[in-house]
Amino acid sequence: MLINYINHKDLILAEYDSKIILCDWLSKDDRKSTNQKLETLYSTSFSNNETAPLAKLKDQLDEYHAGERTSFNIETSQNGTELQKEVWEQLKLLPHGQTISYSDLAEKTSKPKAIRAVASAVGKNLISIVVPCHRVIRSSGDLGGYAGGLTNKEKLLKLERQS
């Protein structure tokens, strides 16, 4: 079984066994490294092949960017520690158009004092937009970091405030 992928606008979308495992920025600094880690994890390679799950994600992303979609109906799979998985599940619960601080996100997990570990988990999310890590900001209100770059984070947050 291969990791099927397509490039869609500024993103690379990938699925394995009909589950989305990647929705990430093509411009990401460690793009090649991330792909190699996934190939190692799944003991296979990438194949440029649009499958039904990828077509569904592509359509839902287009609806999201058009302001017509506020949530995603996509089956995802990410490998990580229990805390990372918990953080990613909490991210999915964040309402469209709202933000949360890293410390408030930590409070919602089983490790409320582990703010740095929670921030690290946010940064290791490989399913951007669908698992909305762009909604996490610093307690000061500053945007903080974003794998897709701060310009993209600003655009996503602005889009969500308008829809």
Side-chain angles (χ1 to χ4, degrees):
M1 191 176 311
L2 296 169
I3 298 171
N4 295 297
Y5 83 94
I6 57 171
N7 291 341
H8 182 62
K9 300 181 180 175
D10 296 334
L11 301 167
I12 179 172
L13 314 177
E15 65 90 2
Y16 181 80
D17 196 22
S18 298
K19 294 178 185 154
I20 299 301
I21 61 168
L22 186 67
C23 178
D24 208 5
W25 301 92
L26 286 167
S27 61
K28 190 173 168 181
D29 289 340
D30 64 347
R31 168 82 282 119
K32 188 175 180 179
S33 171
T34 299
N35 291 0
Q36 288 172 340
K37 286 177 188 173
L38 287 171
E39 287 177 328
T40 300
L41 179 68
Y42 292 103
S43 300
T44 191
S45 59
F46 277 74
S47 175
N48 191 344
N49 181 29
E50 184 169 328
T51 61
L54 292 174
K56 181 178 178 181
L57 176 56
K58 183 173 76 169
D59 290 346
Q60 289 190 17
L61 284 167
D62 287 345
E63 292 166 358
Y64 168 84
H65 285 293
E68 301 165 356
R69 174 172 290 279
T70 59
S71 63
F72 292 87
N73 179 20
I74 298 288
E75 193 170 358
T76 62
S77 177
Q78 291 200 76
N79 289 290
T81 67
E82 289 306 312
L83 179 61
Q84 288 169 337
K85 290 177 183 179
E86 186 179 357
V87 168
W88 298 329
E89 286 305 313
Q90 286 296 324
L91 289 174
K92 289 181 188 179
L93 299 175
L94 289 174
H96 182 85
Q98 294 184 18
T99 58
I100 190 170
S101 70
Y102 292 97
S103 58
D104 287 343
L105 181 58
E107 286 290 328
K108 294 180 176 288
T109 72
S110 59
K111 306 267 188 198
K113 303 246 186 240
I115 298 169
R116 286 188 179 182
V118 166
S120 176
V122 171
K124 290 182 178 168
N125 171 38
L126 294 181
I127 308 177
S128 295
I129 305 173
V130 176
V131 179
C133 52
H134 62 277
R135 296 180 189 155
V136 185
I137 60 172
R138 293 183 177 151
S139 296
S140 65
D142 291 338
L143 292 182
Y146 187 61
L150 289 181
T151 301
N152 284 323
K153 186 171 186 170
E154 288 174 323
K155 285 180 187 176
L156 293 172
L157 291 173
K158 182 179 179 184
L159 170 72
E160 290 188 8
R161 285 191 297 267
Q162 293 174 344
S163 54

